[in-house]
Amino acid sequence: MQRRHFLAMGAAATTAAALGSRRLFASPAAVRHPLWLPPELRPNGITLRANAHAITSGTGTTGTAMTLGDGAIGPTIRMRRGERARITLDNALDEETILHWHGLKVPEVADGHPRFAIGTGAKYEYDFEVTDRAGTYWYHAHPHHRTGEQVYRGMAGLLLVDDDEQDALRLPSGARELSVLIQDRRLDADGEFVFNPVMHERMEGFFGDVGFGNGTPNPRHEVDSALYRLRVVNVTASRITRVALSTGAPMTLIGTDGGLLASPVTLTHLDLGTGERADLLVDFSQVPVGSSVMLVSQEFPPPYRGGMGMMGRGMTGAKPQGAPLDLLEFAVTRKVTERPYVLPALPAIARLDPGTASRTREFRFDSRQMRHFINGKEWEMERVDERVPFGSTEIWRFINDSNFPHPVHMHEVQFQILSRTGGRNAIMPWEAGWKDTALLFPGETIDVIAEFNAHRGLFLMHCHNLVHEDMGMMMNYTIE
Ligand code: C2O
Ligand code: CU
Ligand code: CU
């Protein structure tokens, strides 16, 4: 394994105590590190080299990241709708891997199905046209049985799509546009990343107790007293992240998985399961210079059913599901006075009409006897579980018969949520617009509608809790 030190995060670390008495969050002071801002690459003719290298993961300690390139997490790939992407994956890991472009509609051979995984020293060429709306997407490793550990160690990156529709809004950009890939990791005494789901974690999922942003432990970022566009991507193995500001201040949600919403939503928190994204406007103009606001995952009762969890809590690790976790400190360091940004009307979204759906398919998610099933089956590499006619519109009904939440993800389509019954019994305010992943709590049924009209081929639908996914809570479907 290659051991390189390239990020001197420790040297530049600032202690929370140094921020003085105006801290607005209560958690014990942790040494905080400047948020790593990955380089932005254009997609035409780039090579992403998968490799393992040491990164500073805490005070003077190192963990082994597996990632693309030299950073703590993969580079950001910034694409434009209509553009061609030609990307080479170069596998310098000592195990197999393959990359998937989460949320994009790409041809079958570019979708990163585990059967396309390549071995050490091999290369894989991706060539596709970007047809998706402007939005916050991401890419990550997708090899069989190893997605969880590879993503946990950093085999992921941000994928941004821009288009004319979005440009017209003149959203905050440049230094006022920030993106953060959220992770939670466990560190051993040497600062090495631990990923070893034990028995009950193979049911619940794996939870770390240190919040990472863009591969940076306990990140901190200096901001102006101004309005920011903040995109949040949940890249955790299993954690549902209840995204909020430590001040309780409202945020404006302008986009979700598949791009901009038809109208903005003001909220003080929103829940993201693994794989889900939020595009937010966050206003620091009222925050006094010299003070900080923490982006946190707020405490919530984990949505477990039955005898699971102690005292309504998850059981795994120091920060189980639902425990509060600090994600990213914003230190307001510069006073600016600017004309307030007024968000123009957002572009309309055509609602898919359930009347045009040719059929409804049911998928039952169940977890029992240390195994995870969809319609009673565990995933097999070559078995085709469903066949969908190309060009059709269908309703897919996801039913949770288990005691655990499942973030359900479909490759190759963006869907709209038609209904949720049982459990929370409502479509949440942050679930409007186009989605590719949706949280399904125990006892819930959600109906989603999608058009299968982008490409023919074999694609996946799966639970995006990476522990469940690797254990086979996944199915193959064809568009033919
Ligand atoms: Cu993020 Cu199979 O997906
Ligand atoms: Cu995906
Ligand atoms: Cu699951």
Side-chain angles (χ1 to χ4, degrees), residues 100 102-103 138 140 142 275 409 411 437 460 462 464 469 474:
H100 165 61
H102 181 125
W138 63 300
H140 61 83
H142 216 306
H409 171 52
H411 285 218
T437 309
L460 294 164
H462 59 87
H464 221 298
E469 172 178 347
M474 184 151 83

Side-chain angles (χ1 to χ4, degrees), residues 19 220-224 290-293 329-334:
L19 296 171
R220 173 180 187 267
H221 189 71
E222 296 187 354
V223 294
D224 296 342
S291 60
S292 285
V293 177
E329 178 188 345
F330 294 106
V332 182
T333 53
R334 200 165 70 108

